[in-house]
Amino acid sequence: MTAKRDYYDLLGVSKSASPEEIKKAFRKLAIQYHPDKNPGDKSAEEKFKGLTEAYEVLSNPEKRQAYDRFGHAGVSGMGGGPFGGTGGFEFSGNLNDIFGDIFGDIFGGGQRGGARRRSRAQHGSDLQYELKISFEEAAFGCEKVISVPKSTVCRTCDGSGAKQGLQPMTCPQCAGQGEVRFQQGFFSVSKTCPRCHGEGHVIQNPCADCNGSGKIRKKVDLSVKIPAGIDTGQRLKLNGEGDAGTRGGQPGDLYVILHVRDHAFFERHEFDITCEIPINFTQAALGDEVEVPTLEGKAKLKIPAGIQSHQVLRMKSRGLARLGGYGRGDQLVRIIVETPAKMNAEQKELLRRFQELGDERNQPMAMGFLEKMRSLFG
């Protein structure tokens, strides 16, 4: 009679190996030597049996302690290992978990896979819709109606896929379980039912409108509320307005991506808006009150005397609403002083007279420039 190999040697671990190391070693070797991965190989089958016996002992703290003290004799009276005298296979609590993992690797789904297949409801896909709105609509908010192509539950069959008035038939091959069990070597394993593909039912008379899918694709009109202050690239989520789920699963969501059109007059900077206003030389020198456009219409803006070109005036709370916050941004008006392109003789004479009466102290920018020139060139 051939002497049994040491259990630690069989698994390729040291005697001080942790339970996790033992489990990892066994799992790797069990997959390698499983009879169904080595059909007809008696040596692989014997190797697998030895590995299983070693793991059964070393994964059990009580049996491992007895084995460490007395060797194979210490566990010979503790159930005879996993293979009993009748040739059957006895699953222990330790083996159930790991064999569930091994079956998943070898057969593409075992006990755990079957449990997952029995929960066949699938969440619908999320959808995305690109929506263009005007600058004003983004500034004040609005409500838009969009037409979204998506899959919806077929109303003719209420999503069953069967012809109106009929119901899907329980799959005769798997009795509605979605999986079938068969003998694989000395194990009983399960796999997806080949007839119903895991559905648990078959449709003999499919619905004419959805061809048995339980869903149809059509355009659905939806109302979307656009909050004031929204900007390009931001998105709105409409819960449950995506594609319909499968087998009773929840529908997906719809994400509306916003694109704000440019404005002919205003530019946006976060929640402030900017614009440019031209004024003439006299208005800039003497000051004035002018009308400027705003998001609500025309408004008066006071121009202080002596303003310089490109100076910016602020109109409080004339910008966009602060999204998710309080108040509004401002409107920033950049003043552009325009020099007359053409003048008559009288106007030219008046300007010359004005220049003669001028005081350099009233032109600090020009004086500063001349000082820099003198320091550079002497």
Side-chain angles (χ1 to χ4, degrees):
M1 181 177 179
T2 305
K4 288 187 176 182
R5 282 185 60 185
D6 180 81
Y7 288 152
Y8 292 102
D9 287 344
L10 271 172
L11 296 178
V13 297
S14 67
K15 291 189 176 182
S16 60
S18 67
E20 274 304 312
E21 290 173 328
I22 292 173
K23 180 178 180 179
K24 184 177 179 181
F26 171 68
R27 187 177 186 278
K28 180 180 178 181
L29 292 169
I31 292 172
Q32 180 181 347
Y33 290 103
H34 193 281
D36 294 304
K37 299 204 79 174
N38 303 274
D41 188 341
K42 292 295 183 182
S43 63
E45 184 173 334
E46 290 301 319
K47 178 77 170 179
F48 182 78
K49 288 181 179 180
L51 291 168
T52 307
E53 183 177 330
Y55 179 72
E56 167 67 7
V57 171
L58 298 184
S59 64
N60 184 304
E62 183 183 352
K63 292 181 181 180
R64 182 178 180 180
Q65 185 179 16
Y67 178 75
D68 288 343
R69 293 184 64 188
F70 306 109
H72 293 291
V75 293
S76 61
M78 302 180 72
F83 297 95
T86 60
F89 190 84
E90 300 175 5
F91 286 105
S92 72
N94 290 324
L95 291 175
N96 276 337
D97 290 339
I98 197 164
F99 280 143
D101 293 338
I102 293 172
F103 291 156
D105 286 339
I106 296 175
F107 306 117
Q111 295 172 340
R112 296 181 183 182
R116 285 194 295 269
R117 282 195 294 274
R118 282 191 285 273
S119 178
R120 293 185 291 271
Q122 293 181 6
H123 194 279
S125 299
D126 293 337
L127 299 178
Q128 182 172 300
Y129 186 93
E130 309 279 336
L131 177 62
K132 291 184 178 181
I133 60 175
S134 70
F135 196 93
E136 288 81 4
E137 287 172 330
F140 299 110
C142 62
E143 189 167 346
K144 307 283 282 188
V145 176
I146 61 176
S147 185
V148 182
K150 65 175 185 174
S151 64
T152 61
V153 175
C154 177
R155 297 304 176 193
T156 304
C157 64
D158 289 328
S160 70
K163 186 177 180 180
Q164 190 173 18
L166 301 177
Q167 291 295 325
M169 182 183 74
T170 300
C171 177
Q173 187 164 344
C174 66
Q177 295 302 307
E179 59 185 25
V180 291
R181 299 186 69 82
F182 65 100
Q183 198 71 26
Q184 189 78 17
F186 41 79
F187 295 110
S188 177
V189 296
S190 9
K191 69 174 185 178
T192 302
C193 176
R195 180 164 182 179
C196 68
H197 306 291
E199 299 289 339
H201 63 261
V202 291
I203 299 173
Q204 291 183 310
N205 298 289
C207 171
D209 290 343
C210 67
N211 295 318
S213 68
K215 296 187 287 187
I216 58 173
R217 193 161 186 85
K218 65 178 184 179
K219 286 189 174 181
V220 178
D221 290 338
L222 300 172
S223 179
V224 184
K225 290 186 177 180
I226 312 296
I230 203 161
D231 201 359
T232 292
Q234 293 179 314
R235 67 181 189 175
L236 303 174
K237 179 181 178 181
L238 276 65
N239 293 320
E241 294 296 351
D243 278 339
T246 302
R247 297 180 291 274
Q250 293 296 312
D253 301 321
L254 173 65
Y255 292 90
V256 180
I257 313 299
L258 276 300
H259 297 275
V260 181
R261 297 188 183 95
D262 292 335
H263 196 276
F265 191 76
F266 298 114
E267 288 186 3
R268 177 172 180 167
H269 299 276
E270 294 187 352
F271 300 106
D272 293 336
I273 58 174
T274 63
C275 63
E276 292 184 347
I277 301 294
I279 62 173
N280 60 42
F281 170 79
T282 305
Q283 289 174 306
L286 301 179
D288 199 359
E289 188 175 70
V290 297
E291 280 190 339
V292 297
T294 69
L295 290 171
E296 289 92 352
K298 295 179 181 179
K300 295 288 187 179
L301 175 65
K302 186 175 181 180
I303 307 296
I307 195 169
Q308 303 299 311
S309 190
H310 294 285
Q311 190 170 335
V312 175
L313 302 178
R314 184 181 296 270
M315 302 177 73
K316 298 288 289 184
S317 299
R318 292 281 188 172
L320 287 87
R322 299 185 183 279
L323 188 64
Y326 299 95
R328 293 173 58 178
D330 301 328
Q331 179 171 332
L332 308 177
V333 181
R334 183 179 291 106
I335 300 299
I336 306 297
V337 180
E338 186 176 23
T339 303
K342 293 182 179 180
M343 292 185 293
N344 57 36
E346 185 179 0
Q347 289 172 325
K348 291 178 180 179
E349 182 59 32
L350 287 172
L351 284 178
R352 290 190 187 98
R353 179 61 179 161
F354 175 81
Q355 187 175 13
E356 291 172 0
L357 296 173
D359 188 339
E360 290 184 354
R361 290 173 297 179
N362 289 330
Q363 296 179 293
M365 290 178 63
M367 290 180 65
F369 174 75
L370 291 175
E371 286 296 329
K372 289 179 181 178
M373 288 283 288
R374 292 190 191 99
S375 64
L376 284 172
F377 304 106

